[in-house]
Amino acid sequence: MAVTAQEPVTRRSAFRRPTAETGIWSWITTVDHKRIGILYWLTAFFFFLVGGIEALLIRVQLSRPENTLLSADAYNQLFTMHGLTMIFFALMPLGAAFFNYLLPLQIGARDVAFPRLNAFSYWVFLSAGIFIYSGVLLGGLPDGGWFNYAPLNLIGPDPTATEAAGQIAVAEANHISRMVFYSIGLQIAGIASLASSVNFIVTILNMRAPGMTLMRLPIFTWATFVTSFLMLFAMPVIGVALWQLMFDVRFGTNFFNPAAGGDPVLWQHMFWLFGHPEVYILILPAFGIVSEVLPVFARKPLFGYSAMVFSLIAIAFLGWGVWAHHMFAAGLGPVANAAFGLSTMFIAVPTGVKIFNWLGTLWGGRIRLTTPLLFGVGLVAMFTIGGLSGVTHSIVPSNYQQTDTYYVVAHFHYVMFGGSIFGLFAGTYYWFPKVTGRLLDDRLGKLHFWLMLIGFNVTFGPMHLLGMDGMPRRIYTYADGMGWNFWNLIETIGAFIIAASIAVFIANLAITRRRGEPAGDDPWDARTVEWMTTSPPPHYNFEEVPQISARDELWHRKYVGGATRPPVRVPAGASPDHDPGESAVDDQAQPAHGPGHTGHADIHMPSPSYYPVIAAAGMPIAGWGVYAGGPVQVALLALGGLLILSGLFGWVLEPSAEEHA
Amino acid sequence: MSDMSAPLPGTDYEHSTSLGLSNNKMAMWTFIGSECLFFGALISTYLIYVGRTNEGPTPAGIYDVPFTSVSTFILLMSSLGMVLALAAIQAGEMRKFRTWILATGLMGATFLAGQFYEFTVFAAEEFNLTTSPFSSSFFVLTGFHGLHVALGILMLLAMWTASMMGRLPQQLHTTVENIGLYWHFVDIVWIIIFTVVYLIPAATTAPG
Ligand code: HEM
Ligand SMILES: [Cu+2]
């Protein structure tokens, strides 16, 4: 492990450069965007299952009145962790999984701009998940809700509720540590998002294949681009709020503590200034996915491509001006309420543009009812319901009735589950053959879809009614005789139908892994360039970097005709194993590695690295340092800081790619 | 940063990026965009809390504006040092480059030492993290800025060391330029902090 300056491989690095190409180390040190995408997907899906189990526990507890399965304390931790897990550790990283895997493929690049930064993002995300869940062994998990309002996040459990003085001290200590896990856990997760947003923005701006102008970008790439900007600007805002919270709970500052002159409403502003852009961070990837899926299965180009692009941008801009619609009940005054109510209604306009464009895409198409299409249509339908209930929230007097009731719970599940999750499953079924070379079983996929659609509506539809009926959210139980028993039981049944649908999906994965139908390069007759390469793609993605001459490049290579006569399939270069034929664009294809170099032996790819993992590992260690006290604190902080710094230095000093011997 | 290895097609090499701007530089600008929001949030918090002093020290009562003006001047001069260092490496004058990079780092360190001294004086006057919302927002804002300066100094020192070991050839001047971008940004943030945190509140809350 010593630095041996003579050896070419270890020249500038403390460790010998990792070389494994298979096995666990090859995955730990990988910098290949496709492998990182797969890691992201698997980890996020694992967290999705954890969050799902938490949801089932919540639903079982609420299935009947005055249930005693869970204590109030356990319930608080469960619903908080359910929300945090789903948002930060399932939906966001599932989006990141698609970004990672697809972005370079869709723009005809061999990797992202900063492959090691990409690996770093993944490991940081994983360490954030491990860190926040480690609280379960150290005094409990965060319990203040996902938005963790002040001063609840400072005061914690009511001290008068516990009799013995000793218990009060324990409860207070537990509360502090839970908030430490909340603030630092999300802080670490935010660093991962920030790093990927920088990476994706640079990749999209700088790594496009020749001819890939911005207005020829696949629409999913546009969604990635816009989402990355939202992350870039939203993460620092919540980052500051989380630091302030950490200083408040752990080091006695007075940011949000009203007793010491702090302003709890400031936390709300900071949280939602991040929080509303965040909901678009959660939905835009799914929007991008369905905008890819619907055209392929309707066999028509995306209706209103430019309107789709500009509505994405409009949503992202307006998304910064609506945050206080989460705070109408905080008493901001009539002017602020009216302004934010109006801006919220405005944001429904570009959202409506998207919905009509999806309908326009399907309209008159030759529709193939495959699983990805079903999930895509599911998104369009379910998200519309959620969007409409969102507009009802924006009417301030009505909002006073709805806020903090199950009506809001219904709203955000229609947008985040009915929207994001359906979209992400559409993407999973659609791109699975590209990633693995095998198709997921379509019959099981349809079973999955219908079970999920039914289960989803049975679970969340009645929440509208319960909310209107005044059932507050975040109560661990309710009295008999409120008239809420029936729908609560139905919702719990619905939750188990959803669980069954997920079981079908997992079975589908397991079966397909062994004997799925081989997919070939382009099983769906798709339109974008990621389908030009093999399934799964080689680690350098493309033999030759494609020359782009049209939006829907691949489709234009496969078909001639279109606007004037019916499209006819030509035998041109859909993939390397097809004869490139006559297609004019093909002769211009860029050689992979400058003139005179062809063939993959010469394609130079970035080398794997240990440093991203090392730097990422330092973060939770430093976090446990904040949690601990005394000398342990100093030791852990020092160790964590040392790991981060040495990881970063080693990283900078080693070259991105080793020279071939 | 990976110039010595064979190029990765499409990465790191200025002539082969879609926009002709190097990836590293674009990443630095992107990151700086994010940092604007970071400091914006901290400064906003401070502005909201500047009047909430809980019977503790007020801005006019606690700040030593002449002292901070001097350290501000030194930090500003460090930006000049950075510019000269970049010009030197671009011109291939490596010794001059090392001199200026070290001078820049030293000026940054002087600024940090001034901040450290200021904090100890404040602590002696019962003005610390927990005194009031005003104090909390002051220390967290200026502390995070100091952390940025410290990271910048580490990078400058790393460049100096690399140059001494002959690992920072002239072609790598873009790396210097990127770190320079960061350094200038941190300076500009300080100009805003100095104005908004020290000057204006000290003038407007001055007794009499
Ligand atoms: C047409 C678009 C939308 C409108 C008009 C809208 C409007 C609103 C309003 C006014 C609230 C506040 C309700 C209250 O607490 O009283 C709200 C809450 C919420 N929305 Fe939306 N929304 C829209 C889209 C979305 C999307 C796309 C997502 C996520 C993917 C989302 C996620 C949420 C969440 C998580 C909450 C609840 C936050 C909480 O209180 O815990 N919304 N929405
Ligand atoms: Cu919102």
Side-chain angles (χ1 to χ4, degrees):
Chain A
M1 248 183 241
V3 189
T4 38
Q6 298 82 1
E7 263 178 57
V9 180
T10 49
R11 254 181 335 172
R12 283 193 289 289
S13 141
F15 298 108
R16 184 180 288 275
R17 195 84 190 221
T19 47
E21 277 171 21
T22 51
I24 177 126
W25 280 104
S26 73
W27 285 88
I28 292 176
T29 58
T30 188
V31 295
D32 177 352
H33 71 97
K34 296 180 290 301
R35 285 186 158 203
I36 294 172
I38 293 171
L39 286 174
Y40 255 114
W41 193 93
L42 290 173
T43 315
F45 188 70
F46 169 76
F47 278 116
F48 177 70
L49 295 181
V50 172
I53 291 167
E54 287 160 348
L56 288 179
L57 285 169
I58 293 173
R59 274 325 314 169
V60 172
Q61 164 71 12
L62 292 179
S63 61
R64 58 194 181 84
E66 281 150 43
N67 201 352
T68 50
L69 174 74
L70 298 173
S71 67
D73 183 38
Y75 186 86
N76 289 348
Q77 296 179 52
L78 277 174
F79 83 71
T80 302
M81 286 312 294
H82 164 71
L84 293 177
T85 305
M86 286 303 189
I87 290 175
F88 292 98
F89 300 104
L91 287 196
M92 282 179 83
L94 277 175
F98 286 95
F99 294 166
N100 266 297
Y101 199 95
L102 293 169
L103 175 56
L105 286 168
Q106 284 206 319
I107 62 175
R110 296 199 191 282
D111 208 315
V112 293
F114 303 103
R116 284 172 299 172
L117 187 65
N118 211 17
F120 176 72
S121 296
Y122 168 74
W123 294 107
V124 173
F125 145 66
L126 179 62
S127 52
I130 293 173
F131 178 77
I132 200 163
Y133 268 101
S134 72
V136 80
L137 306 171
L138 303 167
L141 295 163
D143 55 2
W146 85 284
F147 51 58
N148 205 31
Y149 273 177
L152 185 65
N153 55 16
L154 306 176
I155 298 164
D158 179 5
T160 54
T162 23
E163 282 98 60
Q167 278 180 304
I168 297 179
V170 172
E172 270 175 9
N174 279 350
H175 177 72
I176 289 178
S177 76
R178 291 174 185 190
M179 290 303 120
V180 167
F181 285 106
Y182 175 91
S183 56
I184 297 179
L186 296 192
Q187 188 75 258
I188 298 176
I191 292 171
S193 305
L194 191 62
S196 8
S197 68
V198 171
N199 208 345
F200 294 150
I201 289 172
V202 175
T203 304
I204 294 174
L205 285 176
N206 252 356
M207 311 269 296
R208 284 166 284 139
M212 179 68 88
T213 59
L214 286 182
M215 288 312 271
R216 282 182 192 158
L217 287 178
I219 192 79
F220 177 75
T221 300
W222 262 108
T224 311
F225 194 47
V226 172
T227 309
S228 299
F229 271 102
L230 284 174
M231 292 201 283
L232 183 76
F233 293 131
M235 289 306 151
V237 178
I238 188 71
V240 166
L242 291 169
W243 286 123
Q244 293 173 339
L245 175 66
M246 182 199 85
F247 278 106
D248 266 13
V249 292
R250 198 71 184 83
F251 302 108
T253 55
N254 311 301
F255 286 105
F256 307 120
N257 181 1
D263 188 349
V265 180
L266 180 65
W267 168 268
Q268 297 193 21
H269 278 296
M270 302 264 263
F271 187 90
W272 289 116
L273 189 52
F274 146 82
H276 194 85
E278 169 72 13
V279 307
Y280 290 109
I281 294 169
L282 298 171
I283 196 69
L284 294 187
F287 280 5
I289 290 172
V290 286
S291 305
E292 297 283 355
V293 166
L294 296 187
V296 168
F297 295 101
R299 297 189 226 189
K300 275 176 65 191
L302 181 66
F303 184 85
Y305 172 91
S306 3
M308 284 304 231
V309 170
F310 286 108
S311 61
L312 273 175
I313 298 173
I315 290 177
F317 264 106
L318 291 174
W320 289 94
V322 299
W323 78 89
H325 66 210
H326 296 273
M327 303 165 56
F328 289 143
L332 302 176
V335 178
N337 282 354
F340 282 99
L342 272 176
S343 63
T344 305
M345 291 177 204
F346 275 138
I347 208 167
V349 175
T351 316
V353 167
K354 301 200 90 65
I355 290 171
F356 283 113
N357 279 354
W358 289 323
L359 297 181
T361 306
L362 291 172
W363 189 267
R366 286 185 298 139
I367 297 198
R368 286 179 290 169
L369 266 187
T370 56
T371 312
L373 180 88
L374 287 178
F375 274 102
V377 173
L379 176 148
V380 178
M382 294 302 107
F383 180 82
T384 305
I385 299 177
L388 288 176
S389 63
V391 177
T392 70
H393 296 324
S394 68
I395 301 156
V396 181
S398 170
N399 181 279
Y400 287 158
Q401 291 302 312
Q402 297 156 5
T403 191
D404 267 329
T405 71
Y406 264 86
Y407 189 89
V408 172
V409 181
H411 158 72
F412 63 73
H413 282 95
Y414 269 84
V415 285
M416 299 209 293
F417 192 138
S420 307
I421 294 284
F422 274 69
L424 291 164
F425 273 120
T428 302
Y429 279 93
Y430 178 59
W431 278 297
F432 189 86
K434 178 53 55 186
V435 177
T436 63
R438 290 180 186 276
L439 288 154
L440 280 167
D441 185 79
D442 201 50
R443 290 212 339 272
L444 283 177
K446 283 179 175 148
L447 180 63
H448 169 200
F449 169 75
W450 286 110
L451 276 178
M452 198 154 115
L453 187 76
I454 294 168
F456 169 73
N457 281 292
V458 171
T459 310
F460 297 104
M463 289 191 186
H464 292 107
L465 306 176
L466 283 176
M468 298 297 238
D469 211 10
M471 180 168 167
R473 64 193 281 207
R474 297 179 172 167
I475 47 166
Y476 84 105
T477 191
Y478 50 94
D480 204 356
M482 300 293 289
W484 300 336
N485 302 4
F486 174 71
W487 287 121
N488 270 302
L489 182 60
I490 296 292
E491 285 169 6
T492 303
I493 295 171
F496 280 92
I497 302 179
I498 299 176
S501 77
I502 300 296
V504 172
F505 173 66
I506 294 175
N508 199 348
L509 284 181
I511 294 170
T512 315
R513 239 193 81 206
R514 292 217 205 94
R515 43 188 173 90
E517 191 190 321
D521 296 351
D522 180 20
W524 309 117
D525 191 11
R527 315 180 73 87
T528 38
V529 293
E530 75 267 27
W531 301 99
M532 270 167 61
T533 183
T534 52
S535 309
H539 75 283
Y540 44 83
N541 287 356
F542 298 97
E543 269 325 298
E544 299 200 332
V545 171
Q547 170 85 33
I548 309 296
S549 57
R551 196 182 288 162
D552 290 339
E553 172 71 17
L554 175 58
W555 195 88
H556 282 278
R557 290 191 186 196
K558 290 188 294 193
Y559 293 93
V560 293
T564 46
R565 53 208 166 90
V568 184
R569 191 159 178 137
V570 292
S575 66
D577 54 31
H578 297 162
D579 175 22
E582 310 279 303
S583 169
V585 282
D586 257 24
D587 335 319
Q588 301 161 14
Q590 275 279 106
H593 189 194
H597 295 257
T598 40
H600 56 85
D602 239 44
I603 300 172
H604 209 94
M605 294 303 293
S607 314
S609 173
Y610 292 114
Y611 294 108
V613 197
I614 295 175
M619 294 192 184
I621 294 179
W624 284 310
V626 176
Y627 158 82
V632 184
Q633 172 162 54
V634 180
L636 285 175
L637 282 175
L639 178 63
L642 201 70
L643 279 177
I644 297 172
L645 276 183
S646 54
L648 293 182
F649 266 90
W651 171 348
V652 170
L653 292 179
E654 90 183 343
S656 158
E658 295 293 341
E659 278 160 61
H660 286 308
Chain B
M1 277 168 230
S2 61
D3 69 306
M4 293 184 190
S5 58
L8 169 64
T11 57
D12 280 347
Y13 262 45
E14 291 176 43
H15 53 264
S16 63
T17 63
S18 308
L19 295 186
L21 196 67
S22 90
N23 285 343
N24 287 339
K25 193 190 264 185
M26 194 182 285
M28 184 54 85
W29 277 113
T30 315
F31 173 67
I32 286 176
S34 179
E35 289 279 276
C36 287
L37 274 277
F38 183 83
F39 282 107
L42 285 169
I43 293 174
S44 312
T45 309
Y46 174 84
L47 287 178
I48 293 168
Y49 285 159
V50 67
R52 303 193 185 190
T53 51
N54 288 6
E55 334 260 290
T58 61
I62 192 82
Y63 293 148
D64 182 353
V65 173
F67 174 82
T68 315
S69 306
V70 172
S71 65
T72 302
F73 181 74
I74 294 173
L75 191 64
L76 277 185
M77 285 304 105
S78 78
S79 262
L80 181 65
M82 192 71 231
V83 170
L84 292 172
L86 178 62
I89 192 168
Q90 279 168 343
E93 300 169 54
M94 301 311 278
R95 279 194 55 147
K96 211 165 140 196
F97 162 72
R98 281 195 289 276
T99 313
W100 280 118
I101 216 73
L102 208 56
T104 309
L106 276 178
M107 286 188 265
T110 315
F111 169 84
L112 269 192
Q115 194 173 37
F116 184 74
Y117 169 76
E118 183 192 37
F119 282 9
T120 48
V121 171
F122 286 172
E125 294 176 29
E126 309 278 296
F127 184 70
N128 55 41
L129 257 185
T130 60
T131 312
S132 59
F134 162 57
S135 78
S136 302
S137 56
F138 168 81
F139 281 106
V140 171
L141 165 59
T142 51
F144 269 113
H145 181 269
L147 193 67
H148 279 76
V149 177
L151 284 178
I153 294 174
L154 272 184
M155 292 196 274
L156 294 173
L157 287 182
M159 283 199 294
W160 182 78
T161 320
S163 174
M164 288 298 277
M165 292 162 69
R167 291 219 190 136
L168 195 71
Q170 204 227 329
Q171 304 89 290
L172 271 193
H173 62 83
T174 47
T175 306
V176 181
E177 195 177 341
N178 282 329
I179 294 177
L181 279 178
Y182 172 86
W183 189 261
H184 296 313
F185 170 76
V186 173
D187 275 7
I188 291 171
V189 171
W190 182 258
I191 298 179
I192 299 171
I193 294 178
F194 180 61
T195 316
V196 170
V197 171
Y198 290 82
L199 287 182
I200 297 176
T204 49
T205 64

